[in-house]
Amino acid sequence: MTDPTPAHDIEAVFHQKGIPFTRQRRQIWEFFAGADRAATITEAADALRSDGVGQATVYRTVQLLSDLGLLARVQDGRGDICYIAPPIGHSHPLICGVCRRVVRFDGEGDLTELELQLAEATGFTVYGHHLEVYGICPSCRAQKEGDHGE
Ligand SMILES: [Zn+2]
Ligand SMILES: [Zn+2]
């Protein structure tokens, strides 16, 4: 697994855009960056309430971070919208649809063939892709099998 983007890089993105990187924005970013699974805005708001961060601030900041490309939007198995820290370099997230655990894998060269085929078929110049893979992690699978077995 790759480490999430360090906070000073995030700060640089804010500075570049002329947006203040406030303490609350940092707290919200740190919540997602430190999480090993995808979280909904509501969960972030619940977790940050004791730090005095209001729900409206969490909503606005998640939107902002997402617009700046500092959070990636994914869905869990029930279709709930969740957020994760974005991939570093060419990596993609594999997300457990049950517990939302996120594992990142190296995607170097993964879709080269498909991109070439598409370029040929459509005449597009293809310069990238966005990929999320969904599944059920081993511990959720074990739990499910346990439900049936015992
Ligand atoms: Zn799981
Ligand atoms: Zn890829």
Side-chain angles (χ1 to χ4, degrees), residues 7-85:
H8 58 87
D9 288 354
I10 304 302
E11 212 166 337
V13 173
F14 273 83
H15 280 310
Q16 241 170 45
K17 304 265 174 189
I19 305 165
F21 193 48
T22 61
R23 191 174 57 85
Q24 294 203 331
R25 283 176 179 156
R26 180 189 292 273
Q27 281 172 312
I28 293 160
W29 157 253
E30 280 172 354
F31 169 80
F32 285 100
D36 65 347
R37 55 196 67 210
T40 63
I41 294 183
T42 312
E43 285 163 357
D46 285 347
L48 291 161
R49 188 169 300 135
S50 58
D51 295 328
V53 185
Q55 180 149 331
T57 306
V58 176
Y59 271 82
R60 275 196 311 267
T61 304
V62 167
Q63 193 58 55
L64 176 67
L65 289 166
S66 176
D67 289 347
L68 292 172
L70 300 173
L71 282 181
R73 211 175 114 120
V74 297
Q75 278 185 14
D76 70 5
R78 294 183 320 206
D80 286 342
I81 303 298
C82 307
Y83 292 86
I84 58 173

Side-chain angles (χ1 to χ4, degrees), residues 96 98-101 136-137 139-140:
C96 175
V98 180
C99 73
R100 303 192 198 132
R101 187 149 75 93
I136 300 174
C137 76
S139 58
C140 287

Side-chain angles (χ1 to χ4, degrees), residues 66-123:
S66 176
D67 289 347
L68 292 172
L70 300 173
L71 282 181
R73 211 175 114 120
V74 297
Q75 278 185 14
D76 70 5
R78 294 183 320 206
D80 286 342
I81 303 298
C82 307
Y83 292 86
I84 58 173
I88 313 299
H90 190 164
S91 75
H92 298 294
L94 167 61
I95 302 142
C96 175
V98 180
C99 73
R100 303 192 198 132
R101 187 149 75 93
V102 178
V103 175
R104 295 179 192 285
F105 60 92
D106 183 9
E108 206 51 58
D110 53 0
L111 298 183
T112 309
E113 209 143 301
L114 176 66
E115 288 178 350
L116 286 172
Q117 277 171 25
L118 282 171
E120 192 138 321
T122 63

